Structure formats: structure tokens, C-alpha cells
């Protein structure tokens, strides 16, 4: 049986909030099966709980936020979500003492490291996957994103299109067969990126006060400003891939299917996930509770390749 997962023990992380520039602490606690990813704003009285669902997602100028019906928000959740997807963690309590998670280094790698160090445990319930049953496509002008049925696990094919001297054309397309281990090794360290002119605008408007070369790749009109340069030659498309993986996990369920997109972003990825889940004919809920032999080998490879070994 392929089981649901949570963390082995409670663990905390602290860092800078992207919006506020202040120190933020987040505490992760084990959660029982079928809980999902549940956030709590511990700085509010009374505390406010927001479950991570595709409907709670709002794309903002800086990041992805979860917002409840009263307008209470928790920002900068997207890179954590990508890490949880790679680790196969379906259930987790996430307590944060601010309106945002710490931005860490702008990638998913610090969260991967944290949870791998803490340990991960299997729960008694089977893990449920969303298998794509028919094509779903969304468009926004020239941008588009789609999910298609596939025989294997979860494949991603993503193209960005920037006309910038620091972004070579052949480094703007990426195909990735998702595995947890592959994500950790090839994708997780890709940092968010932005342009100097945007940074100047945001700082002038008191936005992104925590943004710096410590947690983003910054480009001027000609080159990468960060003194140490890039972590991967194609770090930009890799980060967009990381974002898409996080965005498509906002239901807390892993997808088995083929994702393909052109110039997509958080907003379009969320539109795709909502469209996908809006009609039960688009997917099949499957778990591998009884007969793993029924699962095609590629799928099984994907499932087995979740990073951390369970307790
Ligand atoms: Zn991102």
C-alpha cells in the first residue's frame, strides 16, 4: 500500500518575511491521515485556521497567498507546497506567527532539507492520487496551460519566453519527469527571480521589504546582478517548474498525468487546477491500497521515488 505521510515530529523554521522584512517563525506539526495541509495564524486572537485548497489561493504581485472568506491571509506558501509535494507529505499542521511564511532563500531547498532532517512517517491510510482522465486546458491571451492523460507518473513540459540577454533561448524550455529525488536534486534549489526595475518600484511603495539578493535572483537590463551568479544555467525555467509543481499541489493531492504550459504563472496554474477539479469527469481518484502490481511500472517508479524513507 502506498500510504499518506506526515512529519515524524514537530519542527520549526525561522526567517525573513518577504513582505514585512521582519523575522517570522513557522512551526510544523504531525497531522493525522486525511487532514490535508492546514495553516494557523497564531499571531491573531482568536487564531485563524486556513486549509490549503485551490479555492483559497490568490495570486498576488509578489507570491501566492491563501485567503479565507474573512480576508485573512497567509502569503508566500508556494515553495513550501512544492517541497511537500516532492516529499509525499499530504498531512501537516503549519503554524505561523505572521501573515506570511519565511521566504528562506527563495527556493524550496531549505524546506526539503528541514523535513528530510526531521524525518517523515507513513500513516495507516492509503494515499489518494488524482489521475487525469481527459484533457483540460486554460488560456490567458498567448499564455496557456494544460493537463493531459498519460501512462506514467507526472510529467511536466514548460516553456518561458523572456527576451533578455541573460536568458538564452535554449535554456527557456524544460521537460521533467517528476520524482521526489529528481526534484530535490535538479529543481529544488532554483530561486525566484525578478527585475531591478520591479525591485525599485516595490521598495518605493513599501513592498517586498524583505526581498534581497539573499532570496532572489535579480536581473538588470543586461545581466544577473547577484555576485555569485546562477545556481543552474537554466535556473529561471527551473524556478517556474518549481512554482508549477507547488501550484498543482494546492489540493494536497498528487497528480498522475502530463502538464504542459507556455509562459504560465501562479494565476494560470491555479486556473488550470480549479478547472481540472471542477468536473469529476476530468479525473479519477486512485490509491494503490490493494494491488500495486496493477500500477504501471513508470507510475510505480514515481511513487517509490518520493525522497525520504518513512520511519
Ligand atoms: Zn516561486
Amino acid at each position: 500500500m502506498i500510504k499518506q505521510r506526515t512529519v515524524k515530529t514537530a519542527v520549526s523554521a525561522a526567517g525573513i518575511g518577504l513582505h514585512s522584512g521582519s523575522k517570522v517563525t513557522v512551526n510544523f506539526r504531525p497531522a493525522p491521515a486525511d487532514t490535508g495541509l492546514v495553516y494557523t495564524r497564531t499571531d491573531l486572537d482568536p487564531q485563524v485556521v486556513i486549509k490549503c485548497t485551490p479555492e483559497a489561493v490568490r495570486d498576488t504581485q509578489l507570491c501566492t497567498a491563501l485567503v479565507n472568506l474573512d480576508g485573512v491571509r497567509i502569503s508566500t506558501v508556494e515553495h513550501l507546497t512544492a517541497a511537500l509535494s516532492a516529499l509525499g507529505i499530504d498531512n501537516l499542521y503549519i503554524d505561523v506567527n505572521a501573515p506570511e511564511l519565511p521566504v528562506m532563500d527563495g527556493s524550496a531547498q531549505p524546506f526539503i532539507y528541514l523535513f528530510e532532517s526531521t524525518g517523515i512517517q507513513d500513516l495507516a491510510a492509503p494515499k489518494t492520487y488524482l489521475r487525469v482522465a481527459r484533457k483540460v486546458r486554460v488560456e490567458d491571451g498567448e499564455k496557456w496551460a494544460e493537463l493531459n492523460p498519460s501512462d506514467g507518473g507526472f510529467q511536466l513540459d514548460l516553456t518561458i519566453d523572456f527576451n533578455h540577454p541573460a536568458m538564452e533561448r535554449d535554456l527557456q524550455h524544460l521537460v521533467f519527469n517528476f520524482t521526489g529525488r529528481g526534484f530535490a536534486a535538479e529543481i529544488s534549489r532554483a530561486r525566484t527571480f525578478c527585475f531591478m526595475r520591479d525591485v525599485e518600484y516595490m521598495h518605493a511603495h513599501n513592498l517586498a521589504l524583505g526581498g534581497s539578493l539573499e532570496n532572489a535572483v535579480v536581473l538588470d537590463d543586461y545581466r544577473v546582478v547577484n555576485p555569485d551568479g546562477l545556481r543552474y544555467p537554466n535556473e529561471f525555467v527551473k524556478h517556474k517548474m518549481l512554482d508549477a509543481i507547488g501550484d498543482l499541489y494546492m489540493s494536497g493531492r498528487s497528480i498522475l498525468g502530463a502538464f504542459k504550459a507556455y509562459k504560465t504563472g501562479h494565476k494560470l496554474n491555479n486556473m488550470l487546477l480549479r478547472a481540472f477539479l471542477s468536473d469529476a469527469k476530468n479525473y479519477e481518484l486512485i490509491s494503490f491500497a490493494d494491488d500495486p502490481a496493477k500500477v504501471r511500472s513508470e507510475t510505480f517508479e514515481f511513487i517509490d521515488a518520493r525522497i525520504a524513507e518513512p520511519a
Side-chain angles (χ1 to χ4, degrees):
M1 179 166 83
I2 294 162
K3 295 172 177 171
Q4 294 185 32
R5 286 179 165 180
T6 189
V7 289
K8 213 164 164 184
T9 55
V11 62
S12 295
I16 296 296
L18 179 61
H19 292 79
S20 65
S22 309
K23 187 184 165 189
V24 174
T25 302
V26 57
N27 190 36
F28 302 99
R29 291 181 290 122
D34 300 316
T35 303
L37 310 175
V38 177
Y39 289 80
T40 302
R41 281 276 304 271
T42 59
D43 57 318
L44 299 177
D45 184 17
Q47 299 186 351
V48 173
V49 175
I50 307 177
K51 183 161 179 178
C52 185
T53 64
E55 293 72 32
V57 171
R58 298 284 179 282
D59 179 45
T60 69
Q61 194 175 4
L62 295 174
C63 66
T64 297
L66 300 175
V67 184
N68 76 0
L69 295 176
D70 298 324
V72 177
R73 69 175 49 227
I74 296 173
S75 298
T76 327
V77 300
E78 60 268 35
H79 304 152
L80 169 66
T81 316
L84 296 176
S85 168
L87 294 162
I89 295 176
D90 332 88
N91 303 290
L92 190 64
Y93 293 121
I94 304 148
D95 304 336
V96 57
N97 69 346
E100 56 185 331
L101 293 188
V103 64
M104 312 308 282
D105 68 352
S107 81
Q109 196 277 334
F111 294 118
I112 297 271
Y113 177 79
L114 181 74
F115 296 125
E116 279 202 292
S117 310
T118 307
I120 294 178
Q121 58 169 320
D122 274 357
L123 299 165
K127 182 176 176 72
T128 307
Y129 292 82
L130 291 161
R131 182 151 63 190
V132 181
R134 63 181 186 183
K135 178 176 178 166
V136 178
R137 179 182 170 100
V138 293
E139 297 176 10
D140 176 14
E142 60 171 353
K143 306 172 187 178
W144 55 265
E146 60 187 38
L147 281 168
N148 284 289
S150 92
D151 289 338
F154 181 30
Q155 295 101 30
L156 300 107
D157 179 322
L158 196 150
T159 303
I160 56 175
D161 188 4
F162 287 94
N163 186 10
H164 189 284
M167 298 192 192
E168 287 172 44
R169 283 284 152 190
D170 59 352
L171 298 178
Q172 297 199 46
H173 174 234
L174 184 65
V175 175
F176 178 56
N177 283 318
F178 184 87
T179 66
R181 238 173 255 290
F183 179 86
E186 299 296 328
I187 309 284
S188 72
R189 294 176 66 244
R191 293 160 296 172
T192 195
F193 59 93
C194 59
F195 296 93
M196 190 67 101
R197 55 180 177 274
D198 300 327
V199 174
E200 284 160 359
Y201 172 87
M202 289 187 287
H203 283 177
H205 292 78
N206 258 7
L207 296 165
L209 299 176
S212 74
L213 296 179
E214 301 297 313
N215 50 44
V217 177
V218 179
L219 297 141
D220 65 15
D221 289 340
Y222 307 101
R223 61 190 172 88
V224 170
V225 174
N226 302 55
D228 294 335
L230 297 174
R231 290 177 172 179
Y232 312 99
N234 57 349
E235 185 164 2
F236 307 108
V237 71
K238 283 192 168 179
H239 188 80
K240 291 289 183 185
M241 185 75 84
L242 186 163
D243 280 341
I245 288 165
D247 291 335
L248 294 174
Y249 195 62
M250 290 292 174
S251 71
R253 288 199 162 123
S254 301
I255 289 173
L256 299 175
F259 169 80
K260 193 167 185 180
Y262 174 68
K263 291 181 81 167
T264 192
H266 294 302
K267 188 177 166 191
L268 202 60
N269 294 337
N270 184 245
M271 277 173 56
L272 179 66
L273 184 60
R274 289 194 199 202
F276 174 59
L277 295 174
S278 69
D279 187 336
K281 292 196 190 76
N282 292 338
Y283 58 88
E284 185 188 356
L285 284 170
I286 58 166
S287 61
F288 303 110
D290 321 312
D291 186 5
K294 278 196 292 197
V295 185
R296 290 181 60 102
S297 59
E298 311 92 286
T299 309
F300 209 69
E301 195 179 297
F302 154 73
I303 291 157
D304 271 355
R306 296 182 300 180
I307 301 171
E309 295 305 318

